Amino acid sequence: MAGILDVPKPRINCSMLSQHINRAVCFVGRVEKVHPTGKTFSVSDGEGNNATVELNEPLEEELSGIVEVIGMVSNKGAIMATTYDVLREDKGTPFDLELYNEAVKLIHDFPQHYPFEVAASG
Amino acid sequence: MSVRLTEGAVEALFKGVEVNNPMLQLLSIRQIGAPSASPRFRLMMSDGQHSLSSVILATQLNYLIEQNLLVPNCVCLLKKIIINTLADGRHVVIVMDLEILQSAEETGGKIGNPTPCSADGKNSSPKKVSSSTSVSASPPSAAVPGTSYSSSNTAFSASGGRGRGFTGKAPVNASPMKASPMKASPMKASPMKASPMKASPMKASPMKASPMKTSPMKASPMKASPMKASPMKANSASPAKAMSIANLNPYQSKWTIRARVTNKSNIRTWSNSRGEGKLFSFEIVDESGEIKITAFNNEVDKFFSLVEQGKVYYISKATLKAANKQYTTLKHEYEMTLHANSSIVPCDDIQGVPTLNCDFVPIAELENRDKDAIIDLIGVCKSAEDVSRITTKSSREVSKRELSLIDTTGKVVTVTLWGDEAEKFDSSGQPVVAIKGARLSDFGGRSLSALFSSTVMVNPDIPEAFRLRAWYDKEGYALDSQSLTETRSSVSGSRMNWKMLSDVKSESMGHGEKADYFSCIATVVYIRKENCLYQACPSADCNKKVIDQQNGLYRCEKCNRDFPNFKYRLLLSANLADFGDNQWVTCFQETAEVLLGHSAEALGQLRDTDEDAFDEVFQKATFRTHIFKNRAKLETYNDECRVKVTVLEVLPVNHREYSRRLLSNIHKLAS
């Protein structure tokens, strides 16, 4: 887990999964279906496309709403999650997934303004 | 009969072929033209085979009729004729010189059985008068003039009550025809206006257009009736075949147009160095286009009450000149000015004249249009503010009203109505509102303002309106749409003019005569604690600083009174910063309380009691980001000029709106 936290994790959506195979990414999406085993679930991004998230341990409780998943993209295009975080919907402004998607696309459209290198300290 | 008529001459003349010295019998005479003008006579001539009614006598020969030398049934030799072709291809024969070879008495009666000449060779009366066997049996009607009269008479009266006065007795040359008036003026000009005849029946609808077109030529009985009944009796300006507005130009003087008034302005008076006067203007539309018409001074009196918005008129004889684009939003190259001889006549037949020529822009596209562009818009009025009265800089009080219009693109925009329109507007029931000629402005992003010349229509009778209504009732009402006018989210009245703090210096804001208002997103980086509170006069509405008299009394100079107490008021000096620059601003009571999160009184107390808590209030307020609405103005203070920025309002950041704005800005910059 320590390894992945040191590495830049670009935010992506489903269409960018294929370009980030075997790399660490951060994916924000809405939980669609949870597999009965609890070890995998599907998420949809702001454009409506779906991706699969696979967990090391099965889920302990019911998962719904918007989650942020950090993990590696497998060869098959699934996200092997190392950690996930649920965004609370009951507080503050509701999360606008479509707007988030626009922002993600922007980040990738202008890499010169949104660099992903590890910031050199000092 | 001692004279032989030139057979075939009529048919040739009808086709426009010149005939040399034809011998024809005069069947009937009709006087046409305005009673006041010199009379013109229209003749029906026959060659024994056919009869032609589109024959006009040149005025120099009028004496022949007036002296009863030329009477029906006499035989004449047409020594000199001119054949004119009308715009629709028909021909008119103008008799310049004729010689009477045989008088009516000598001739005795009508020679032969002339049939009226017509384009399709067949009489229309059979079509019209299916009941009358006599007519249908015989070839073109004139064979049995009597019956054809009555039959056509009934036809007409059946179809429109036009045929009148035909007793159906005598053959064609009966006097009723003579009496029926026809317009002289077009006759004067070379193309004989058989068209008035054509026009009236057509325009007056009950008659079928096609048969009528030919019938005036053919059967005199038929001809007579429409003419007689034609409403044009009264007018001198006969509506000739109407020209299209698109073809109007200053080089053509004789024209008539038929159009609907779309926009009528009020009477305006002006007074400048060259004098004064009054004017009113209106815009008209027909199938081909639109044009603006102005009337000045005397013509204002003449036409203002006659012209009504939405009605169709025949207009002729006005001056055309190049359009002054400054005063009109229409696309026509020319504009019209009415003068003393202009004529405007109400028209009953409004077939084909569009109600309004609108080029509606979808609301979503408004962003792509330029500021100050004049556009037409249609949308459903989702909501409307109440009428508010504003005092303009010229100290005039105006009513204004803001409406939110939504259309099928799902976008909403604010439209401002002014004056009477604002007060008259009824927003109940979410009406469909169409506006023509509104100005697009970048006030609050994108918004529209109705101009003096705009036309606002509520629930107009056009297809787009019905489409919108249907769409709205089905889905539109539920749409939580995004407004192009961002003032939706905040108090309207202050402009959401988004700027960065660096713009204050780079654009020299506040340096102009007026203060500059702008909005920005910034973070508070420092608030001065010292002198943030002052003691103010306790009377309501007076916020002047009171002077501590040291005897327990506080004096207010403005109220000229002493008070035993005061109220604390905040006057904050804060420093705001964004990514580019920082800016010192002043916050008064209301905005300061929002920033600090405490009332002035409470802070006053805290300052005297608990210093640490007082400091903490300021700590917590620092490094918070808000939306600030500010006013920048250059002020002179003791010989020093400085741009002072005052905060008018503090609002929490709406992240969604902010993000969208940033995204759109980025896209704009990127393209």
Side-chain angles (χ1 to χ4, degrees), chain A residues 94 96 99 102 106 110, chain B residues 656 659-660 663 666 670:
Chain A
D96 188 338
L99 198 58
E102 292 291 315
L106 200 76
F110 298 98
Chain B
R656 260 178 155 150
S659 306
R660 288 211 185 93
L663 276 170
I666 291 175

Side-chain angles (χ1 to χ4, degrees), chain B residues 5-16:
Chain B
L5 299 181
T6 316
E7 301 195 341
V10 165
E11 197 160 6
L13 287 174
F14 175 76
K15 295 202 174 88

Side-chain angles (χ1 to χ4, degrees), chain B residues 271-563:
Chain B
S271 173
N272 60 21
S273 52
R274 293 195 306 195
E276 38 175 52
K278 59 183 172 182
L279 68 93
F280 88 100
S281 65
F282 55 100
E283 295 166 9
I284 54 171
V285 66
D286 75 354
E287 304 88 341
S288 70
E290 320 171 82
I291 191 169
K292 176 174 144 138
I293 307 187
T294 314
F296 291 93
N297 300 320
N298 293 339
E299 280 71 54
V300 172
D301 299 323
K302 209 157 99 173
F303 292 114
F304 188 75
S305 44
L306 173 64
V307 171
E308 281 175 64
Q309 189 160 323
K311 292 225 163 75
V312 182
Y313 299 91
Y314 286 112
I315 302 178
S316 58
K317 297 214 257 302
T319 320
L320 262 308
K321 61 173 205 248
N324 187 342
K325 292 284 174 199
Q326 211 187 348
Y327 291 122
T328 177
T329 56
L330 297 181
K331 303 168 194 66
H332 205 283
E333 287 172 67
Y334 301 106
E335 57 182 3
M336 248 195 258
T337 308
L338 300 174
H339 56 75
N341 291 334
S342 305
S343 102
I344 300 189
V345 173
C347 164
D348 287 325
D349 172 32
I350 54 178
Q351 293 278 43
V353 183
T355 35
L356 212 62
N357 216 1
C358 274
D359 185 16
F360 294 119
V361 178
I363 295 183
E365 248 201 58
L366 286 181
E367 284 179 324
N368 303 334
R369 298 289 173 114
D370 294 323
K371 169 177 137 94
D372 287 343
I374 303 290
I375 54 167
D376 307 330
L377 190 76
I378 189 168
V380 177
C381 176
K382 235 170 112 101
S383 64
E385 311 278 326
D386 290 327
V387 179
S388 60
R389 290 201 75 84
I390 309 266
T391 313
T392 67
K393 297 164 204 70
S394 32
S395 309
R396 262 183 337 154
E397 271 226 343
V398 195
S399 314
K400 98 171 203 189
R401 199 143 186 209
E402 294 191 358
L403 329 167
S404 305
L405 292 194
I406 182 175
D407 74 355
T408 46
T409 60
K411 296 264 185 216
V412 171
V413 74
T414 304
V415 179
T416 309
L417 299 180
W418 303 91
D420 288 339
E421 282 179 340
E423 285 166 18
K424 279 192 306 201
F425 186 76
D426 174 22
S427 61
S428 56
Q430 273 130 3
V432 176
V433 176
I435 304 190
K436 186 172 157 62
R439 188 186 34 225
L440 185 64
S441 90
D442 62 358
F443 182 87
R446 272 285 176 271
S447 61
L448 285 153
S449 176
L451 299 172
F452 186 77
S453 58
S454 308
T455 318
V456 179
M457 289 162 285
V458 177
N459 283 328
D461 205 3
I462 46 182
E464 285 96 343
F466 301 132
R467 248 185 279 136
L468 263 175
R469 172 99 268 144
W471 165 81
Y472 188 79
D473 292 337
K474 268 209 318 218
E475 7 169 323
Y477 66 90
L479 268 189
D480 174 32
S481 48
Q482 198 204 355
S483 175
L484 293 184
T485 318
E486 284 156 356
T487 45
R488 279 306 100 215
S489 54
S490 51
V491 178
S492 50
S494 323
R495 291 161 54 175
M496 277 291 210
N497 181 15
W498 292 103
K499 295 279 175 210
M500 306 179 291
L501 287 181
S502 48
D503 288 338
V504 176
K505 297 202 185 75
S506 65
E507 290 180 14
S508 302
M509 289 181 110
H511 280 242
E513 270 187 26
K514 294 190 310 180
D516 284 319
Y517 292 84
F518 68 98
S519 300
C520 67
I521 293 198
T523 313
V524 179
V525 289
Y526 182 71
I527 310 180
R528 271 221 188 93
K529 283 199 299 259
E530 313 77 47
N531 297 331
C532 62
L533 286 161
Y534 70 96
Q535 294 154 340
C537 173
S539 36
D541 287 343
C542 178
N543 293 327
K544 183 135 179 69
K545 180 168 169 176
V546 291
I547 303 171
D548 190 344
Q549 309 261 45
Q550 301 297 341
N551 56 357
L553 289 175
Y554 301 89
R555 182 171 176 72
C556 172
E557 291 300 338
K558 194 152 102 175
C559 304
N560 220 357
R561 271 183 61 188
D562 288 328
F563 297 94

